[in-house]
Amino acid sequence: ETGVTQSPTHLIKTRGQQVTLRCSSQSGHNTVSWYQQALGQGPQFIFQYYREEENGRGNFPPRFSGLQFPNYSSELNVNALELDDSALYLCASSLVYGYTFGSGTRLTVV
Amino acid sequence: RKEVEQDPGPFNVPEGATVAFNCTYSNSASQSFFWYRQDCRKEPKLLMSVYSSGNEDGRFTAQLNRASQYISLLIRDSKLSDSATYLCAGQTGANNLFFGTGTRLTVIP
């Protein structure tokens, strides 16, 4: 059974650019959630996808968007990057209860 | 007000000590609670689910108090390998988790 995998592991972008982060969910898990974790903070919920539909969203602006594909993998897209977007972005997949996290993508915006 | 409030610490304890962490939550509709462990620059990993009846896993005991809306984690006989950040999280239904800021624990030889 494969776990949750994320790519890339590290990324450096310039303010104003766009970025796409990718996540492959654990086998059989149909729900994917994305979290942003700034340094010294707990993970903050961005949004969740269930069977390719957005199923809840946290307090993030519309420039944060996502997709889920038929194989339940997912993308997080961030437009017009700001310096404060620098964080660890975590993907978590689940079937009913209990989440398995990927190792994250560390994004630095300069 | 944050959904989950947690003392960020840090907690520095000697090996063998007993240490307790508490979290309070604001959403009384929250149904499930968890403790996660996060090592430096790594992803959170589920440590324990938390139930009203309390649950124990070796040196770790978790407890939920719905009347006072707090959850706790007790670590007995602390080991050096317990050094990490401990995150509490609440969940409403099958939806997203709400995390606290995490409590940093360092176990000292």
Side-chain angles (χ1 to χ4, degrees):
Chain A
E1 179 180 274
T2 58
V4 179
T5 57
Q6 291 186 244
S7 62
T9 55
H10 296 83
L11 200 54
I12 299 175
K13 287 286 191 177
T14 303
R15 190 171 50 183
Q17 283 188 312
Q18 178 266 343
V19 68
T20 297
L21 310 182
R22 295 179 174 84
C23 171
S24 293
S25 60
Q26 184 164 328
S27 178
H29 285 190
N30 55 20
T31 301
V32 172
S33 301
W34 286 91
Y35 290 81
Q36 179 196 66
Q37 187 175 23
L39 198 62
Q41 300 296 316
Q44 298 297 309
F45 174 67
I46 303 175
F47 43 58
Q48 182 182 82
Y49 279 85
Y50 171 68
R51 295 188 174 182
E52 304 178 58
E53 297 287 330
E54 189 176 289
N55 183 41
R57 187 178 182 92
N59 189 26
F60 281 81
R63 59 190 185 84
F64 286 77
S65 63
L67 283 173
Q68 187 179 30
F69 300 100
N71 66 355
Y72 302 138
S73 66
S74 178
E75 286 183 354
L76 163 65
N77 300 289
V78 187
N79 294 322
L81 283 166
E82 301 176 359
L83 297 179
D84 285 349
D85 295 334
S86 296
L88 178 67
Y89 287 85
L90 294 160
C91 169
S93 74
S94 67
L95 187 56
V96 180
Y97 288 100
Y99 286 78
T100 302
F101 283 88
S103 55
T105 294
R106 189 162 299 280
L107 173 65
T108 302
V109 182
V110 298
Chain B
R1 184 182 175 184
K2 289 186 177 180
E3 295 265 355
V4 179
E5 301 269 7
Q6 185 175 8
D7 181 351
F11 284 61
N12 300 314
V13 303
E15 265 187 295
T18 295
V19 61
F21 307 134
N22 290 324
C23 276
T24 57
Y25 62 94
S26 58
N27 186 351
S28 58
S30 297
Q31 298 172 347
S32 305
F33 299 90
F34 308 91
W35 283 101
Y36 280 80
R37 171 194 168 126
Q38 186 172 28
D39 292 293
C40 188
R41 305 183 76 81
K42 299 286 188 180
E43 75 274 21
K45 293 188 176 177
L46 181 63
L47 180 64
M48 300 178 76
S49 300
V50 190
Y51 307 110
S52 295
S53 55
N55 51 311
E56 186 174 313
D57 183 3
R59 298 181 293 107
F60 297 83
T61 300
Q63 185 77 50
L64 165 64
N65 184 317
R66 287 196 182 274
S68 301
Q69 295 190 195
Y70 79 82
I71 63 172
S72 63
L73 177 68
L74 184 76
I75 305 175
R76 291 179 298 278
D77 188 23
S78 299
K79 311 291 185 189
L80 296 178
S81 57
D82 294 334
S83 297
T85 296
Y86 291 83
L87 296 155
C88 58
Q91 184 178 23
T92 305
N95 296 321
N96 55 283
L97 295 169
F98 290 98
F99 285 90
T101 54
T103 298
R104 175 73 190 150
L105 170 67
T106 301
V107 181
I108 303 164

